[in-house]
Amino acid sequence: MIRSVVRGIGSALPRRIMKNADFEGMVETSDEWIAQRTGIRQRHIAADDETTASLGEAAARAALANAGLTPDDIDLIVLATSTPNNTFPATAVEIQNRLGMRHGFAFDMQAVCSGFVYAVTTADLYIKGGLAKRVLVIGSETFSRILDWSDRSTCVLFGDGAGALVLEAEEGQGTIADRGVLAASLRSDGTHKDKLYVDGGPSTTGTVGHLKMEGREVFKHAVGMITDVIEDVFAQTGVSADTLDWFVPHQANKRIIDASAKKLGIAEDKAVVTVHLHGNTSAASVPLALSTAVADGRIKKGDLVMLEAMGGGFTWGAVLLRW
Ligand code: ACO
């Protein structure tokens, strides 16, 4: 059977780093509160000339270089983002243009923090369906543009950045010994809309709006939702917490990551944690964490890697792949 195998990976971060202490003059908060409640120490914040498209382009170019490919080799770009450059056209098409691609097709996916997990799953289906041989899957966000910078309960949590994978069709045996995407489980439930949303949009207010979150409510649901989809993937594949090599979760809060790993019986040293460096970068957080663990030599060819995310909607999901 056809498998979607990772051929390259890349990432990009805005130049400016904002430390927790930099908030102390802006809102009533402290480095200690932020670090203790979330694990976050710093985040990158985009300058005016850094956008979801420019960061996504930079991550895509890095992934292509890592794969030893050029834009000519790509058939499809799937961009996961909730902070597009414009309401339309899709920022994926803008990235396609920036890469000089005059062939193939590109579109955006909107599943908030779960966007990258949804996008990998979608790319896998396009590859398996024969519509694309090589896909650039990008998560790129500039959440700093939709934050209420006077709301201490949200503005300290998020950051900007981008990460990208090149997925390529490869013949596999149809067993979990294959490289590539092995299984996925996706969910959404709109009854939770009011717990995490942006209070604007083209069809309602005509404005972009600002992020609103009932943090405690999101926290309450997060661990159960994350562990449900991972257990579904375990059941589909026969993989267990013991046989898994790496757990690459959405980077929203260190306490959610720790509690999920504990509930699943995943050893602490298998969890890739970058929330202290990047904050919550929504759809970019999983590929940024993957990039970090590949670059430092932790994730190697043949390793079994579980990706998971949960976010606004609510949306949530998990993907198991062999690197
Ligand atoms: N600095 C200091 N105090 C603060 C801050 C701050 N930055 N923010 C809130 N507080 C205060 C609150 O006002 C509250 O004060 P009170 O007790 O006087 O009312 C107190 O700290 C405790 O607030 P809680 O919200 O209960 O704090 P909690 O321990 O739940 O931590 C947090 C808040 C970090 C937001 C946590 O709930 C969380 O991580 N939630 C999940 C977020 C998440 O996972 N999002 C993922 C999806 S994101 C996406 O999809 C876009």
Side-chain angles (χ1 to χ4, degrees), residues 215-236:
R216 213 175 297 188
E217 279 297 309
V218 179
F219 200 113
K220 215 169 73 186
H221 288 86
V223 177
M225 289 177 160
I226 290 163
T227 53
D228 276 357
V229 281
I230 292 176
E231 277 166 358
D232 182 27
V233 171
F234 281 162
Q236 287 179 47

Side-chain angles (χ1 to χ4, degrees), residues 18 20 61 69 86 98 125 137 170 177 180-181 243 245 323:
M18 188 172 181
N20 288 349
R61 286 191 185 280
L69 298 171
N86 295 87
R98 284 166 172 262
L125 292 173
V137 187
E170 198 176 285
V181 176
T243 51
D245 294 301
W323 201 259

Side-chain angles (χ1 to χ4, degrees), residues 116-117 120 180 182-185 226-251 257 260 264 266 270-272 286 289-290 299 303-309 317-323:
F116 194 76
V117 167
V120 166
L182 300 174
S185 181
I226 290 163
T227 53
D228 276 357
V229 281
I230 292 176
E231 277 166 358
D232 182 27
V233 171
F234 281 162
Q236 287 179 47
T237 58
V239 170
S240 69
D242 292 336
T243 51
L244 192 67
D245 294 301
W246 299 105
F247 175 47
V248 184
H250 172 46
Q251 309 285 320
I257 296 172
S260 307
L264 291 159
I266 298 173
K270 289 185 182 179
V272 174
V286 168
L290 269 176
I299 297 179
D303 284 354
L304 264 180
V305 182
M306 181 74 78
L307 317 179
E308 65 81 355
V319 167
L320 179 71
L321 55 86
R322 191 177 290 283
W323 201 259

Side-chain angles (χ1 to χ4, degrees), residues 44-279:
H44 289 249
I45 300 293
D48 289 347
D49 65 337
E50 293 171 314
T51 65
T52 295
S54 74
L55 293 167
E57 177 198 358
R61 286 191 185 280
L64 285 168
N66 182 246
L69 298 171
T70 72
D72 289 345
D73 301 311
I74 299 299
D75 307 308
L76 164 64
I77 299 173
V78 186
L79 170 69
T81 190
S82 301
T83 46
N85 274 37
N86 295 87
T87 302
F88 78 78
T91 302
V93 178
E94 191 168 339
I95 293 173
Q96 180 190 21
N97 184 41
R98 284 166 172 262
L99 293 173
M101 265 177 78
R102 298 285 172 271
H103 65 280
F105 62 115
F107 59 85
D108 289 359
M109 291 206 73
Q110 221 281 44
V112 202
C113 297
S114 310
F116 194 76
V117 167
Y118 273 56
V120 166
T121 309
T122 303
D124 179 45
L125 292 173
Y126 273 91
I127 287 173
K128 288 202 171 104
L131 268 80
K133 191 158 182 276
R134 294 196 195 91
V135 183
L136 256 174
V137 187
I138 308 169
S140 183
E141 301 278 19
T142 44
F143 259 51
S144 61
R145 310 277 211 259
I146 54 165
L147 295 176
D148 173 354
W149 286 91
S150 65
D151 175 12
R152 68 176 182 172
S153 71
T154 54
C155 72
V156 302
L157 302 175
F158 295 89
D160 303 331
L165 288 183
V166 178
L167 291 180
E168 182 176 58
E170 198 176 285
E171 197 63 43
Q173 300 302 310
T175 71
I176 63 150
D178 289 346
R179 290 186 64 214
V181 176
L182 300 174
S185 181
L186 301 182
R187 286 295 321 277
S188 65
D189 181 354
T191 58
H192 299 288
K193 182 193 169 194
D194 293 344
K195 299 185 180 89
L196 176 51
Y197 68 103
V198 170
D199 66 351
S203 187
T204 49
T205 58
T207 62
V208 171
H210 290 115
L211 183 146
K212 304 280 171 196
M213 178 164 76
E214 291 175 36
R216 213 175 297 188
E217 279 297 309
V218 179
F219 200 113
K220 215 169 73 186
H221 288 86
V223 177
M225 289 177 160
I226 290 163
T227 53
D228 276 357
V229 281
I230 292 176
E231 277 166 358
D232 182 27
V233 171
F234 281 162
Q236 287 179 47
T237 58
V239 170
S240 69
D242 292 336
T243 51
L244 192 67
D245 294 301
W246 299 105
F247 175 47
V248 184
H250 172 46
Q251 309 285 320
N253 186 315
K254 176 77 162 58
R255 289 188 293 150
I256 296 175
I257 296 172
D258 290 347
S260 307
K262 191 169 171 206
K263 192 168 170 204
L264 291 159
I266 298 173
E268 210 177 307
D269 58 2
K270 289 185 182 179
V272 174
V273 178
T274 50
V275 70
H276 57 298
L277 299 172
H278 306 145

